[in-house]
Amino acid sequence: MNATTILMRGLWKENPVFRLLLGLCPTLAVTTGVLNGLGMGLASTFVLICSNVMVSLLRSFIPKKVRIPAYIVVIASFVTVVDLVMHAYLFELHRSLGLFIPLIVVNCVILGRAEAFAGRNSAGWALLDGVGMGLGFTLGLMVLGAVRELLGSGSLLGVQILGDAAPRLLVMILPPGAFLTLGFLLAGMNALEEKRAIRAGEAYAPPREMDCGSCVLCRLHENLEQPD
Amino acid sequence: MREMINLPLRLALICAVAALALSRVDALTREPIARAEAQARRQAVEAVLPAFATLSEDTVGGADGPAAYVVGADADGPTGVAFTAVTGLGYSGEIEVMIGVDPQGVVRGVRILRHAETPGLGANYAAPDVLQAFYAGHGLEDRDWRVTKDGGQVDAITGATVTGRAICDALTAGLERFRADRAELMGAVKEAP
């Protein structure tokens, strides 16, 4: 393992939004604008880093059989802290994201990283993994938000970019726009990956992560049966 | 047997530590949160009222229970009144508005305090210049407070009529309550030194 790989893989190779397809609930719900995506991404990143480090430190204390409830308690606690602190000191942002903050608890990225990485590695690595995955998640949310804000309201970061003559696609800021944007972005990323693989002369296999059967959470049973 | 004690014990320990930490954070942030809420409310009051020198709060018992009003006044008497109104007709959930009127009941300013409307669509009503252009300058008597689509005289944002309708509903309810409470409220202010 080396630090750069762990840090960078969250940005593209194992990007939580575009490659692992984890945490889609907040991804689809809050990305009506770049700013919302940034706020949600940073809040999730904070929770992810804290929970990764905490889970990693507690990994010998938490019994394997009750690790999922233990992880959830850790994650929910940090989410509540974020919610309270944002409410107190970032009132405006909290007003636009308020509804979605509690949803971070059920964001699979965080539980997924706790289960797949933090619970098996030392705190330093877990911290790096949290930073990388968190930034990758934030990046994904911002890209989605940028596309939807530009096409739907003709602005970026709240600043009008397209003139009044350009059509506004209302559907892009509504929930279906989230699915459409994500679908096109995923198709684009797959096409790029395929091209790269062919140019490099590698055999191209479609991303296995997109098959739900390979999701960590669907294989809890297998993991339980692994010897300690 | 050992495991049966060990598992819940460790889980309980984790929960206890988490609960302790959370109660600390709650105690630390409770006051700043209340302060931020109060400040947002005060800013809305100041934004919707015509020029004033002093503010006083008053509660008047209307037909549907007491309602809270903030009265702005200068040396010559009351210049305006601010009050809140809530509607359940929003596109997603309740909308709470702060309404400012002059003593005659003409709307001078409106702010949205709380809403969960679609960002980029219904949420666009929350912009102060939109609220000013759509709702200020009229009272209950000189305008049909329904959106133009329903045969009224109030503009709505294209594609977000539901939210516009809901805001009209809140404004109408608030203005009617103010009309009912007006005599009592203004009387009380005049008696004050």
Side-chain angles (χ1 to χ4, degrees):
Chain A
M1 265 193 311
N2 85 52
T4 333
T5 328
I6 293 194
L7 204 57
M8 296 307 288
R9 67 181 177 184
L11 294 180
W12 177 273
K13 213 162 166 253
E14 288 183 28
N15 186 291
V17 177
F18 297 126
R19 297 275 101 172
L20 307 183
L21 294 192
L22 285 176
L24 287 191
C25 170
T27 302
L28 297 170
V30 302
T31 53
T32 50
V34 184
L35 221 54
N36 280 2
L38 180 67
M40 186 67 180
L42 291 183
S44 305
T45 303
F46 176 78
V47 174
L48 182 56
I49 293 172
C50 293
S51 84
N52 256 13
V53 171
M54 189 60 86
V55 162
S56 172
L57 290 175
L58 291 175
R59 70 185 188 283
S60 53
F61 176 78
I62 298 175
K64 229 176 161 82
K65 281 181 180 158
V66 293
R67 70 189 189 288
I68 299 294
Y71 294 166
I72 293 284
V73 170
V74 170
I75 296 167
S77 305
F78 283 119
V79 169
T80 313
V81 169
V82 168
D83 190 36
L84 290 172
V85 170
M86 266 178 92
H87 198 167
Y89 301 106
L90 297 165
F91 192 73
E92 280 306 313
L93 192 62
H94 186 267
R95 195 138 76 161
S96 63
L97 290 179
L99 207 59
F100 302 111
I101 300 287
L103 287 181
I104 301 178
V105 177
V106 289
N107 185 335
C108 303
V109 177
I110 297 169
L111 186 58
R113 292 329 286 176
E115 167 69 16
F117 194 88
R120 303 157 186 215
N121 292 283
S122 63
W125 295 122
L127 174 84
L128 280 179
D129 181 72
V131 174
M133 286 290 160
L135 291 182
F137 185 65
T138 311
L139 186 77
L141 258 58
M142 285 177 71
V143 170
L144 267 176
V147 174
R148 293 179 66 195
E149 191 179 347
L150 191 64
L151 296 178
S153 356
S155 59
L156 270 183
L157 290 162
V159 182
Q160 283 299 321
I161 300 235
L162 300 182
D164 286 333
R168 304 278 188 274
L169 301 171
L170 277 186
V171 69
M172 295 310 280
I173 18 185
L174 298 174
F179 286 99
L180 288 172
T181 313
L182 184 65
F184 280 112
L185 285 175
L186 288 179
M189 276 189 85
N190 285 354
L192 278 181
E193 277 291 303
E194 191 175 5
K195 252 204 191 109
R196 189 199 57 80
I198 290 171
R199 208 179 313 126
E202 295 164 14
Y204 175 73
R208 210 169 46 85
E209 293 84 1
M210 306 207 177
D211 158 15
C212 121
S214 63
C215 171
V216 190
L217 294 182
C218 296
R219 288 185 296 155
L220 288 181
H221 189 64
E222 277 171 43
N223 290 339
L224 262 186
E225 283 166 1
Q226 282 171 5
D228 277 84
Chain B
M1 190 58 204
R2 257 195 66 195
E3 194 178 45
M4 266 178 69
I5 299 166
N6 194 18
L7 293 186
L9 202 69
R10 290 192 177 206
L11 199 52
L13 206 68
I14 291 173
C15 290
V17 172
L20 224 89
L22 284 181
S23 73
R24 274 307 293 156
V25 175
D26 177 53
L28 283 175
T29 52
R30 188 166 289 176
E31 203 199 334
I33 288 177
R35 220 168 28 229
E37 297 265 6
Q39 196 194 347
R41 212 153 262 269
R42 199 166 51 243
Q43 276 171 354
V45 166
E46 286 170 9
V48 298
L49 280 179
F52 59 87
T54 56
L55 286 179
S56 58
E57 282 177 40
D58 207 344
T59 305
V60 174
D64 339 306
Y69 295 93
V70 179
V71 181
D74 61 12
D76 304 328
T79 59
V81 182
F83 48 91
T84 61
V86 184
T87 176
L89 297 183
Y91 191 73
S92 54
E94 290 190 335
I95 301 175
E96 188 180 13
V97 295
M98 176 71 76
I99 310 169
V101 297
D102 62 18
Q104 284 71 46
V106 173
V107 175
R108 303 304 297 266
V110 176
R111 284 290 182 280
I112 310 266
L113 291 178
R114 180 161 63 81
H115 76 87
E117 301 303 291
T118 316
L121 208 53
N124 287 350
Y125 281 97
D129 46 339
V130 172
L131 292 168
Q132 203 64 22
F134 281 12
Y135 305 112
H138 298 276
L140 265 187
E141 277 72 29
D142 68 316
R143 190 189 214 187
D144 185 343
W145 282 94
R146 285 179 301 166
V147 292
T148 43
K149 215 176 190 172
D150 297 342
Q153 293 173 298
V154 186
D155 277 336
I157 293 176
T158 313
T161 314
V162 175
T163 308
R165 203 174 276 147
I167 295 174
C168 283
D169 176 66
L171 288 178
T172 314
L175 289 173
E176 277 170 359
R177 208 183 55 215
F178 173 69
R179 184 164 63 184
D181 293 343
R182 182 165 171 268
E184 196 181 334
L185 185 67
M186 291 301 164
V189 173
K190 253 177 222 143
E191 280 162 28

